[in-house]
């Protein structure tokens, strides 16, 4: 079985948003992860609601400041930069122009604010601070800053890797008992919470 076939099987279910009262633990855990890519994979999914393919293609050029706020600006089309080559990744190779584009026309051109606070249902705080903006600014080379990375993982990550990172953070946060879908036996990770990027996107969208 190919990796692509494994990915299709692993994600062949409807998305299941996290209970809002359960978001506290994965957010806190993601913010403290030593591996910043693992943490940002979860935080960007939760706080921007982007699709997995968009997450895996995020480039520092997409991050812009406006009136003191930091935004993720999703382009209508962007030359694929994954894996440090000029060749498009497997997904982009199937799209017009062999470049990244969002799944729907509505997905392109959006500006999604990278927040500094959120409503934490667990603690009841309306403006609970979050470290996502600081983490994004420290990890990515934004604007003329030549320090930092261009993409997650340096030159992008795959969707299967992103979903694996989400499971690792969920396992560390011990949120399996909060999930309607419970646990899954992962070929590489063993028994872990059955959560993926699409669930975090659904949590944002709820």
């Amino acid at each position: 079985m190919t990796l692509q076939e494994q990915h299709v099987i692993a994600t062949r279910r409807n998305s299941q948003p996290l209970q809002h009262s359960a978001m506290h633990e994965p957010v806190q855990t993601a913010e403290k992860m030593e591996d910043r890519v693992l943490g940002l994979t979860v935080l960007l999914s939760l706080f921007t609601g982007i699709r997995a393919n968009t997450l895996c293609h995020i480039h520092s050029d997409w991050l812009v400041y406006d009136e003191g706020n930091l935004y993720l600006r999703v382009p209508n089309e962007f030359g694929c930069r994954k894996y440090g080559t000029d060749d498009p990744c497997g997904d982009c190779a199937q799209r017009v122009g062999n470049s990244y584009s969002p799944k729907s026309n509505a997905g392109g051109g959006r500006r999604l604010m990278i927040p500094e606070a959120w409503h934490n249902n667990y603690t009841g705080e309306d403006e609970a601070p979050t470290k996502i903006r600081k983490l994004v600014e420290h990890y990515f080379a934004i604007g003329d800053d030549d320090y930092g990375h261009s993409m997650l993982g340096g030159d992008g990550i795959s969707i299967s890797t992103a979903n694996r990172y989400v499971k690792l953070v969920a396992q560390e946060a011990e949120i399996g008992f909060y999930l309607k879908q419970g646990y899954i036996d992962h070929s590489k990770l063993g028994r872990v919470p059955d959560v993926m990027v699409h669930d975090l996107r659904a949590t944002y969208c709820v």
Side-chain angles (χ1 to χ4, degrees):
M1 183 182 296
T2 67
L3 288 176
Q4 183 176 14
E5 289 170 337
Q6 291 175 9
H7 168 68
V8 169
I9 291 175
T11 58
R12 192 178 290 158
R13 66 165 173 78
N14 294 329
S15 61
Q16 294 289 341
L18 302 183
Q19 300 174 33
H20 279 183
S21 59
M23 286 178 62
H24 173 80
E25 291 299 334
V27 168
Q28 295 294 310
T29 301
E31 290 181 343
K32 296 175 182 177
M33 295 295 291
E34 290 187 13
D35 188 327
R36 294 305 189 198
V37 180
L38 267 70
L40 284 170
T41 296
V42 168
L43 294 171
L44 286 167
S45 299
L46 273 175
F47 286 117
T48 67
I50 53 178
R51 297 181 186 275
N53 187 49
T54 298
L55 172 74
C56 296
H57 281 85
I58 284 179
H59 194 276
S60 57
D61 288 349
W62 301 8
L63 294 161
V64 296
Y65 291 103
D66 186 19
E67 296 184 354
N69 296 314
L70 178 62
Y71 293 90
L72 173 65
R73 182 176 58 195
V74 180
N76 290 303
E77 186 175 352
F78 192 80
C80 185
R81 309 281 182 84
K82 285 179 71 173
Y83 311 135
T85 72
D86 293 329
D87 298 325
C89 66
D91 184 80
C92 290
Q94 301 177 40
R95 297 175 182 265
V96 176
N98 289 339
S99 59
Y100 165 81
S101 60
K103 183 176 181 179
S104 66
N105 292 333
R110 292 179 302 158
R111 290 200 321 170
L112 304 166
M113 183 182 291
I114 305 297
E116 295 183 83
W118 65 298
H119 179 75
N120 188 332
N121 283 276
Y122 180 79
T123 63
E125 295 176 86
D126 285 329
E127 293 292 326
T130 173
K131 298 179 181 178
I132 181 174
R133 173 168 169 169
K134 182 181 294 184
L135 293 172
V136 167
E137 290 174 326
H138 285 184
Y139 184 83
F140 289 99
I142 303 175
D144 295 328
D145 190 353
D146 59 2
Y147 175 80
H149 301 278
S150 295
M151 305 180 74
L152 285 174
D155 54 9
I157 59 177
S158 67
I159 293 177
S160 60
T161 296
N163 283 324
R164 178 161 52 87
Y165 287 172
V166 169
K167 289 175 173 62
L168 283 169
V169 174
Q171 183 180 39
E172 182 73 17
E174 299 181 345
I175 65 167
F177 67 92
Y178 284 113
L179 304 175
K180 178 180 179 181
Q181 64 273 22
Y183 293 84
I184 189 173
D185 290 321
H186 191 277
S187 60
K188 294 183 178 180
L189 305 178
R191 187 172 183 267
V192 291
D194 182 12
V195 61
M196 55 187 178
V197 173
H198 203 50
D199 299 324
L200 304 188
R201 166 180 162 78
T203 303
Y204 169 84
C205 292
V206 168

